[in-house]
Amino acid sequence: MLVQTGGLAVLTAQSTHDLPAHYHTLSPQPTDGAARATIRLVVDRPMPVGELQGLLVPLHLQIVAGPSESGVYSLGPTSAQLAGMVADQVDTLLTASGVRYAEPVDRGYAS
């Protein structure tokens, strides 16, 4: 019985070792690139979620990631056609009450 168990373990290990690993996320992936981060944003901690959404909606921005441990949100356009408005969006964010920091994402590091 011990030999049979050992043989089964070896065969199982060999068969799973040869198979490539496949990983899939559970969330749907954007196909049009609209959710690609274009701006990093840091807001005051007491800013309510409704106020943050009220700031982003008129700018046609959405939160695509965050906040990180350091409080950084990654923002992206709500539509791929709006991706070229980053400079204007950053300028508007920087003048908004409760915004500590906003900057365009370097395209080499965007996620």
Side-chain angles (χ1 to χ4, degrees):
M1 181 136 165
L2 183 59
V3 172
Q4 184 180 14
T5 304
L8 183 58
V10 169
L11 289 174
T12 303
Q14 286 178 348
S15 66
T16 59
H17 179 69
D18 296 336
L19 296 175
H22 294 283
Y23 300 97
H24 301 281
T25 61
L26 298 177
S27 59
Q29 296 300 310
T31 56
D32 65 348
R36 188 175 175 109
T38 57
I39 297 173
R40 287 187 197 97
L41 175 72
V42 178
V43 296
D44 291 335
R45 288 202 188 272
M47 182 179 276
V49 173
E51 187 178 335
L52 178 57
Q53 279 301 107
L55 180 65
L56 299 180
V57 169
L59 296 173
H60 306 286
L61 292 170
Q62 62 186 340
I63 298 169
V64 295
S68 67
E69 289 181 14
S70 56
V72 178
Y73 288 92
S74 295
L75 308 177
T78 56
S79 168
Q81 292 83 8
L82 302 170
M85 301 173 49
V86 174
D88 293 336
Q89 291 167 330
V90 168
D91 290 343
T92 303
L93 288 169
L94 288 172
T95 62
S97 173
V99 173
R100 290 186 182 181
Y101 180 79
E103 74 168 3
V105 171
D106 180 359
R107 298 315 288 167
Y109 299 103
S111 56

